[in-house]
Amino acid sequence: MGIAASALSQTGLKLESTFQTGVVPDVMLPWTSCTAKETFGRWEDRAIRGDLSGSVHDVQQGVNSAEITIEGPLYAGGAGGYDAAGFLLYGMFGTDTLAGASPYTHTFSVAPTTYALPSWSIADFTGEIATSRRFVGCRMSTLTLTFSPPEPVTYSATFIGSPSGSLAKPTLNAPEVDPFMGWETTFNINSSATTEFESFSLEFSRGTAAQHTMSGIQTPQNVNFRAIDCTWSGTVTPADDTVYNRVTNHSQHVMVVTCRSATPTLVFTITQPSEDDATITRSAEDPVKVDISGSTILNSTDSGIMVPVLTNLYDSAYST
């Protein structure tokens, strides 16, 4: 066997109906970067024995877990649902409400009083190696979406789960449509369109962590999570002081971010964004820029921190 070529790698996922009960992934996540870290805990016996010839007298097995981070273009989703956008947003928010008829709208939200977050089986095929590695019981910890005009909208998703086992290489279905492009993204703030953003990002977190109990097993008993958080940041080339004043006055104007104007589309409506920081930057080569950042506030209009709506041709909820 030769050295495995990264270009032959494939990574995919599938929703588990029962936490940690492995299923065979069938949705491909084309990536630009994929890292899978497995942590095998151990306990070193360093108890003093009146002996200077060594410090570690024994090693015992401890608990273990895995962390998988995948980065790539944000594909929009066709009729088969083989896309990154829908599954990633469902993995972070936990609820997908389906409506309409071709095109279909998927509205993602967090159930406020139900302790539930999807778990996934993730298969990582490393090329010339005959089998893939399957990680089960994976829950999303963080999700970052980045918008920049020269490139596609990209995602970076981190999952926490159990260490891998061997799995025959699965058949993975590739995305059916092109990714969202950064230049297609438009912004509307306080009911007014703005063309000043050069870059923008949304960073979601669920604070996911592996939980180990005295249960006779080394893998996580659960992968816990907390309420959703989201911060945002962007760089603008301002035509006047409007953006800067918005931050300094803590205006909290409604922000609408739209990826593409025709189906498939992805729209984030943030009714109560908090503006926290503004930094003016300048150089001899570039125009004056302002780096701004903030967070999203829980509000009754959004029934959460925001309303993400994906419109595409997929006729099933991402929860099925």
Side-chain angles (χ1 to χ4, degrees), residues 29-167:
L29 292 179
W31 49 259
T32 55
S33 174
C34 180
T35 59
K37 178 183 178 181
E38 302 191 53
T39 301
F40 301 96
R42 66 176 191 169
W43 175 78
E44 295 181 344
D45 184 355
R46 292 178 176 268
I48 301 298
R49 289 170 168 78
D51 186 348
L52 297 179
S53 57
S55 299
V56 180
H57 298 274
D58 192 14
V59 175
Q60 296 291 326
Q61 295 184 15
V63 295
N64 50 45
S65 61
E67 178 179 298
I68 305 99
T69 299
I70 308 170
E71 301 176 357
L74 191 68
Y75 291 92
Y82 307 125
D83 62 277
F87 286 108
L88 294 174
L89 288 169
Y90 174 62
M92 175 54 61
F93 282 81
T95 302
D96 172 20
T97 302
L98 179 69
S102 193
Y104 303 88
T105 61
H106 302 265
T107 302
F108 301 94
S109 61
V110 176
T113 60
T114 302
Y115 190 71
L117 194 67
S119 67
W120 308 85
S121 290
I122 297 177
D124 187 20
F125 176 69
T126 53
E128 295 179 15
I129 300 173
T131 58
S132 63
R133 307 300 303 176
R134 179 174 64 180
F135 302 85
V136 301
C138 298
R139 285 187 168 133
M140 192 178 293
S141 177
T142 61
L143 173 65
T144 299
L145 303 179
T146 302
F147 308 76
S148 178
E151 303 171 349
V153 178
T154 60
Y155 72 89
S156 176
T158 297
F159 298 81
I160 305 296
S162 295
S164 67
S166 179
L167 177 72

